[in-house]
Amino acid sequence: MSGMHLIAAALVIPLAGAALIAASGRWPNLREGVTLVTAVALLMAVASLVPSVMSGDRPALLVLEMLPGISIAFRVEPLGILFALVASALWIVNSIYSIGYMRGNREPHQTRFYACFALALAATMGIAMAGNLLTLFLFYEMLTLVTWPLVTHHGDAGARSGGRVYLGVLLATSMGLLLPAVVATWACAGSLEFVPGGILRGAGLSSAALAGLLALYIFGIGKAAVMPVHRWLPSAMVAPTPVSALLHAVAVVKAGVFTVVKVVVYVFGVEELSAAGAAGWLAPVAGFTIIAASVVALRADNLKRRLAYSTVSQLSYIVMAAALLAPLSIAAAALHIATHAIGKITLFFAAGAIYTASHKTEVSQLDGIGRSMPWTMAAFAIGALSLIGIPPAAGFLSKWLMFQGAAVRGEWIVFAVLAVSTLLNAGYFLPILHAAFLREPAPAEHPHGEAPVLMVVAMMTTAAATLALPFVVSVPLALARSAGGVLP
Amino acid sequence: MPDHLPALQVVLPLVAAPLIILVRHRGFAWLLTTAVSYCCLVMAILLATRVIGGGAISYAIGSWPPPWGIEYRVDALSSFVLVLVSLMASFVAPYAHRSLAAEVPHDRHYIVYAMYCLCLAGLLGMTITGDAFNLFVFLEISSLAMYVLIALGPRRNALVAGYQYMLMGTVGATFYVIGVGLLYLVTGTLNLADLAERLRAVEDARPVLAALAFITVGIGLKLALFPLHQWLPDAYASAPSMVTAFIAATATKVSVYVLLRFYFDVFDPAVLFAELPTREAFIALSVTAMVVASLVALYERDVKRLFAWSSIAQIGYVTLGIGLYNEASLTGSISHLLNHGVTKGAIFVLLGAVALRAGAGRLTTESLAGLSRRMPLTAFGLVLAGLSLVGIPGTAGFISKWYLILGALERGLWWVVVAVVAASLIAVAYVWRIVEAAYLRPAPDAGTARSEAPAGMLAAALAMVVLCVYFGLETSFSVGGARDAAQLLMGAPR
């Protein structure tokens, strides 16, 4: 199949999967079978695109001209294929986990759940492969909307208010800031096609105007959760854990930082931004988010909330790395999209497993849980080490590149932020491990065992991938490097 | 025969009305109305393709050449509005049968259909005519029919709403005719094109200014320009569902068309927008309408009234495009006539289906609880149409908002951009109240059994919802037509 057909397949497979899931709702085994087959087919379609992208091709697909001069069009480049690869590969694991979680917890509305999940993946593929800003924006909004039913899955008061914050913040930022930014880009440059070197190169904007427009983009892309537009992410934690795991640690949030990197590289252009000095404010803002979110995570007792704030902090690593505008740091940003995804999904899998097996949600309840759930807590430990950045876990790789990028640029404040946040990461993850493995369980404890086997399998898969990634890093690293090299 | 299309476009529904009165059979009336609506759509599309292919069409009624006789004139703008009106009519007409059966006594159905045909004829006539007085006649035909249609609503306050609208509408029509009288006084002609030419030569500006003021207020009343909008919420909320759907999608739009005609063709837009504070006034009124009416909608419990207030806000978007006065903003305005027509038509048609199943009484946000279980397709249609109302990309509403923001940016008016997106965000809030009620709140009683709307109604409603998405993705007609019309208006006067 040619690149064009593969792009179409990557978009159509999850959409068709959603339709089939909805149609097979009465037969749960068939329905889950459809989900798994769809996920595998999607990964195959995405993976088939990798060789041609790595050899320098840019497969493209034009769907239709939506407005005069602006089309719905797709064009795959290294950063996008890396993101698509991560999301579609983890969807398979997450689907296995979901089956265990949803059945283990006897959740209602499972058909809607799986169908919306497939739709969310379709939107993610659209974002990853978008060839211009309008296409990206279209799928960005679609992703917000199709994940709302997942966030409000339980339908109770908590879900309603969580869903309101989720939708409110994401739509307010995207409609209120991102849309004017996109229209302004179109008005200034007369084009929205992603081009190497940036759409705005040569548009003759002053550096103040560039900085202002960049601010509209950064805060308009609420999914990147740069403070103060991060509030939706903790609110999204009312969702069932598989949703938090794949969508709010991988697909949705990574769509945000992916868009940020895309905007920096392909809309503004790295040279344009560094020449105008218009991105100088971004690294401090992202740095503040890193530290502040880590401090909040340190104080959060609810496990998912702690993980959510950890995500907020980790996302700003990527934003900060991109803001340095050095090829090395952009490669680090691209790679961190992958490494954080694998590490964080493992942590959420573990949190969901703990909830399913023991109905515990708070960190303070986890004393001695490593004895009854050794597999789960082992996976949790690997994910935590990866996020702290301890080798050989995958997180080490991207963090190393980030340190290197900061050093190359001579940005010692950024360097210091990275160092301090690493300590803070350790500060909020290690106590959990200490409690789980070294403390005695509370005496009046109900005995419980390990989580359902499907969940353990999924968890072990991502934990193993976290450890294995540094040894098979060539493909993601090559993709990240060519994204960082600001290749076409 | 093809040469007489402009006349047939109006005459066909006009003749259908007395036929319906003569036969007085509701099945026949419905079939005839539906057939007439479809014929009108076909004719409008034929006219539009001929305009695109060969430029404006001028048709002299009774072969009396203009400016002495009445001229029917079809150009890029009027053919666009003709398609809009007849398209909406052909969605609503097939849907009307079941909807009316639940809301209006059977022996009065033929009146509804007759009035509906008259209203359609009036609206099409207003759009197609090139004569200022003939326009007044059609304005009165459509308005009188509308008063009756609203007063036929299922609840008692429909009579009050119809009466209220009649008072306001009569004032509007009278103001319009006074304005036209003044223009006739100084120029001695009623043909719009001829008027335009002669007005350029008029020395004394005072009667022309007075005419402008009368026409602006008169048409402003009919299009519910803020603050002349008071009649609208009651009228929309009280009318039978199919009537609300039809007039919400068409009536105010045609009035906007008349305003555009006068502002850009009859009067000299260069003078109007450069030497008079027209731009400032329109921007101020439109922004107020967008924000204030949206806020009122946010706190409205009656769902039909909620969307009526939303209509006032959306009319603000349309008039904002006029006030911004550039090609992008006018493209936004004109395409919003269609985009909002489709969206609001879809919403009211779907609400009609909900009302049919919910029985008598007002439709409140509480009564929508559990709708996704009872009427899954209707609820989902409401979500999609609501998204179009908000202006989510991929829906019709996004397209017009895009051009309005672009127009404001070209003027350098950032605060207008802020107002546009702020109004959209308020729209998110009031649409999401509905969505939350439909999807997250359990039905109050045990009535969770599936009771989807009748297939015929549902088909019409979902077809409109599909259009909401279609016009958001494939815009060669909506934007292409609107841009042609905007270029026509912004170009040299004809």
Side-chain angles (χ1 to χ4, degrees):
Chain A
M1 280 206 286
S2 73
M4 203 175 83
H5 295 117
L6 286 173
I7 296 175
L11 295 164
V12 170
I13 287 170
L15 287 178
L20 287 176
I21 290 165
S24 56
R26 253 183 260 164
W27 306 278
N29 290 330
L30 177 64
R31 180 185 65 200
E32 269 81 306
V34 170
T35 300
L36 288 173
V37 169
T38 311
V40 171
L42 178 63
L43 178 64
M44 281 162 63
V46 174
S48 316
L49 275 165
V50 173
S52 72
V53 174
M54 281 179 67
S55 68
D57 272 0
R58 298 292 173 261
L61 171 69
L62 177 79
V63 180
L64 54 83
E65 190 172 44
M66 183 169 160
L67 292 168
I70 311 175
S71 302
I72 296 180
F74 301 92
R75 188 165 176 280
V76 188
E77 39 74 58
L79 185 61
I81 198 73
L82 179 63
F83 175 39
L85 202 56
V86 169
S88 55
L90 291 179
W91 187 30
I92 302 177
V93 188
N94 193 74
S95 301
I96 297 170
Y97 180 85
S98 297
I99 298 169
Y101 183 93
M102 298 304 275
R103 294 188 176 182
N105 286 306
R106 294 188 186 81
E107 294 275 352
H109 306 305
Q110 293 198 17
T111 304
R112 186 176 79 192
F113 174 88
Y114 288 109
C116 285
F117 233 112
L119 289 177
L121 260 292
T124 308
M125 293 302 123
I127 293 172
M129 299 182 179
N132 61 43
L133 209 42
L134 190 71
T135 310
L136 198 157
F137 184 55
L138 181 75
F139 284 99
Y140 181 97
E141 294 290 47
M142 176 180 162
L143 186 56
T144 306
L145 293 170
V146 297
T147 48
W148 181 78
L150 294 170
V151 170
T152 57
H153 187 82
H154 292 131
D156 52 15
R160 268 203 300 274
S161 71
R164 264 183 217 164
V165 176
Y166 182 75
L167 197 79
V169 174
L170 286 181
L171 280 185
T173 51
S174 67
M175 300 289 293
L177 304 171
L178 185 55
L179 174 61
V182 174
V183 182
T185 305
W186 167 253
C188 294
S191 163
L192 292 178
E193 296 296 318
F194 291 129
V195 285
I199 304 170
L200 289 167
R201 183 164 64 181
L205 290 177
S206 68
S207 71
L210 278 177
L213 195 57
L214 182 64
L216 279 184
Y217 274 111
I218 297 295
F219 297 111
I221 302 166
K223 292 195 171 92
V226 175
M227 281 183 178
V229 293
H230 65 285
R231 287 289 305 276
W232 61 272
L233 187 55
S235 296
M237 294 299 133
V238 295
T241 306
V243 176
S244 310
L246 185 61
L247 296 175
H248 301 117
V250 182
V252 174
V253 290
K254 293 308 177 327
V257 286
F258 169 78
T259 309
V260 168
V261 176
K262 232 18 208 197
V263 163
V264 166
V265 175
Y266 293 104
V267 175
F268 287 91
V270 174
E271 280 102 42
E272 179 88 3
L273 274 182
S274 41
W281 59 271
L282 184 52
V285 168
F288 173 79
T289 306
I290 293 176
I291 303 289
S294 297
V295 171
V296 178
L298 206 54
R299 295 161 53 90
D301 191 36
N302 183 291
L303 183 57
K304 279 180 82 177
R305 188 175 156 83
R306 183 173 291 196
L307 292 179
Y309 272 99
S310 158
T311 304
V312 172
S313 149
Q314 296 280 331
L315 291 173
S316 275
Y317 274 53
I318 299 168
V319 175
M320 189 169 75
L324 290 184
L325 306 174
L328 200 60
S329 61
I330 290 179
L335 194 61
H336 202 62
I337 289 181
T339 56
H340 173 249
I342 300 177
K344 191 46 81 53
I345 202 172
T346 310
L347 290 172
F348 271 111
F349 280 172
I354 294 169
Y355 173 73
T356 307
S358 68
H359 286 276
K360 287 175 182 163
T361 55
E362 308 302 306
V363 173
S364 51
Q365 301 168 331
L366 298 182
D367 288 353
I369 200 164
R371 297 177 195 187
S372 48
M373 305 181 74
W375 292 104
T376 299
M377 291 319 291
F380 189 93
I382 293 169
L385 294 182
S386 174
L387 285 206
I388 299 168
I390 295 172
F396 164 72
L397 282 175
S398 45
K399 220 162 201 179
W400 173 264
L401 283 181
M402 276 185 203
F403 272 115
Q404 232 183 328
V408 165
R409 277 264 155 164
E411 297 270 5
W412 298 110
I413 297 177
V414 170
F415 201 90
V417 167
L418 288 171
V420 170
S421 76
T422 303
L423 290 180
L424 287 169
N425 289 346
Y428 58 75
F429 279 133
L430 293 183
I432 301 177
L433 297 180
H434 175 261
F437 287 113
L438 301 179
R439 287 220 187 108
E440 290 293 319
E445 186 81 9
H446 286 290
H448 60 81
E450 190 50 273
V453 64
L454 283 177
M455 297 169 74
V456 175
V457 167
M459 228 168 353
M460 284 296 121
T461 312
T462 55
T466 309
L467 291 178
L469 193 70
F471 303 101
V472 292
V473 78
S474 59
V475 170
L477 196 62
L479 287 171
R481 275 195 194 284
S482 60
V486 194
L487 281 179
Chain B
M1 174 76 176
D3 293 337
H4 294 292
L5 276 181
L8 278 174
Q9 178 88 77
V10 182
V11 169
L12 198 65
L14 202 58
V15 171
L19 256 178
I20 289 170
I21 297 284
L22 286 175
V23 176
R24 292 201 177 196
H25 181 277
R26 73 186 186 106
F28 167 81
W30 174 60
L31 282 177
L32 186 64
T33 307
T34 310
V36 162
S37 303
Y38 280 117
C39 288
C40 283
L41 179 62
V42 171
M43 286 190 283
I45 290 172
L46 283 176
L47 282 173
T49 48
R50 280 176 63 193
V51 169
I52 290 167
I57 303 166
S58 171
Y59 177 88
I61 295 282
S63 299
W64 293 91
W68 295 280
I70 292 170
E71 180 197 14
Y72 279 9
R73 198 175 164 85
V74 190
D75 59 14
L77 179 58
S78 48
S79 65
F80 186 81
V81 180
L82 287 177
V83 171
L84 161 68
V85 172
S86 48
L87 184 70
M88 291 304 127
S90 35
F91 278 122
V92 173
Y95 157 95
H97 196 54
R98 290 298 296 269
S99 176
L100 280 182
E103 293 179 347
V104 177
H106 286 197
D107 57 339
R108 288 197 195 149
H109 280 199
Y110 76 96
I111 306 182
V112 175
Y113 288 114
M115 290 301 145
Y116 179 84
C117 285
L118 278 182
C119 186
L120 178 61
L123 292 173
L124 292 171
M126 282 166 76
T127 312
I128 207 168
T129 186
D131 184 280
F133 191 79
N134 194 234
L135 201 160
F136 169 69
V137 173
F138 281 123
L139 176 75
E140 281 295 41
I141 292 179
S142 68
S143 301
L144 290 170
M146 244 182 283
Y147 307 145
V148 178
L149 285 172
I150 290 167
L152 281 167
R155 280 173 289 121
R156 286 184 68 182
N157 60 353
L159 216 55
V160 181
Y163 183 70
Q164 202 181 7
Y165 181 31
M166 189 180 79
L167 288 182
M168 301 292 268
T170 308
V171 172
T174 310
F175 271 42
Y176 170 79
V177 84
I178 292 174
V180 170
L182 284 167
L183 291 181
Y184 184 66
L185 198 72
V186 289
T187 60
T189 184
L190 286 170
N191 181 287
L192 292 177
D194 200 28
L195 257 176
E197 261 172 48
R198 286 168 192 246
L199 274 177
R200 305 290 190 274
V202 170
E203 300 276 317
D204 183 10
R206 186 165 301 191
V208 180
L209 276 180
L212 173 69
F214 273 113
I215 289 174
T216 304
V217 174
I219 299 298
L221 263 167
K222 297 299 296 185
L223 69 80
L225 175 67
F226 189 87
L228 305 171
H229 61 273
Q230 283 92 345
W231 58 269
L232 191 145
D234 282 332
Y236 281 19
S238 315
S241 298
M242 58 86 71
V243 173
T244 311
F246 180 64
I247 61 176
T250 57
T252 50
K253 314 292 180 288
V254 173
S255 301
V256 171
Y257 161 83
V258 173
L259 192 77
L260 286 170
R261 267 282 170 254
F262 271 89
Y263 271 35
F264 288 85
D265 276 357
V266 175
F267 297 109
D268 186 355
V271 178
L272 196 61
F273 286 93
E275 293 176 22
L276 295 173
T278 316
R279 194 187 296 163
E280 292 77 2
F282 265 83
I283 292 177
L285 290 180
S286 309
V287 167
T288 319
M290 280 153 48
V291 176
V292 173
S294 299
L295 283 175
V296 176
L298 194 54
Y299 292 99
E300 183 62 63
R301 279 180 66 242
D302 182 324
V303 180
K304 275 179 105 178
R305 284 179 68 91
L306 186 158
F307 284 111
W309 279 105
S310 143
S311 276
I312 296 168
Q314 300 287 325
I315 291 163
Y317 284 107
V318 175
T319 50
L320 176 69
I322 301 175
L324 290 170
Y325 185 56
N326 55 30
E327 194 188 309
S329 72
L330 276 177
T331 306
S333 274
I334 298 167
S335 62
H336 202 50
L337 296 180
L338 177 68
N339 292 337
H340 179 243
V342 173
T343 306
K344 211 33 94 48
I347 287 178
F348 278 119
V349 160
L350 289 164
L351 287 181
V354 177
L356 178 77
R357 287 295 184 233
R362 293 199 313 167
L363 213 54
T364 59
T365 38
E366 286 81 15
S367 62
L368 292 180
L371 190 71
S372 67
R373 306 248 113 194
R374 282 176 283 139
M375 311 174 78
L377 287 171
T378 307
F380 188 61
L382 266 178
V383 174
L384 284 183
L387 293 178
S388 177
L389 196 63
V390 171
I392 296 289
T395 61
F398 173 73
I399 302 296
S400 20
K401 220 153 278 182
W402 172 275
Y403 276 100
L404 283 175
I405 293 178
L406 191 61
L409 283 180
E410 281 178 10
R411 284 254 170 256
L413 293 172
W414 275 94
W415 71 272
V416 174
V417 178
V418 172
V420 171
V421 296
S424 308
L425 292 177
I426 306 173
V428 175
Y430 63 69
V431 166
W432 230 257
R433 272 177 61 204
I434 309 271
V435 174
E436 270 191 6
Y439 280 85
L440 294 183
R441 288 186 196 277
D445 47 7
T448 49
R450 220 178 129 135
S451 57
E452 194 51 272
M457 281 171 86
L458 202 60
L462 293 184
M464 290 174 91
V465 172
V466 167
L467 275 192
C468 288
V469 176
Y470 177 81
F471 283 132
L473 296 172
E474 162 54 47
T475 58
S476 52
F477 173 70
S478 62
V479 170
R483 201 163 60 150
D484 287 351
Q487 279 164 351
L488 180 85
L489 294 180
M490 291 300 290
R494 48 182 194 174

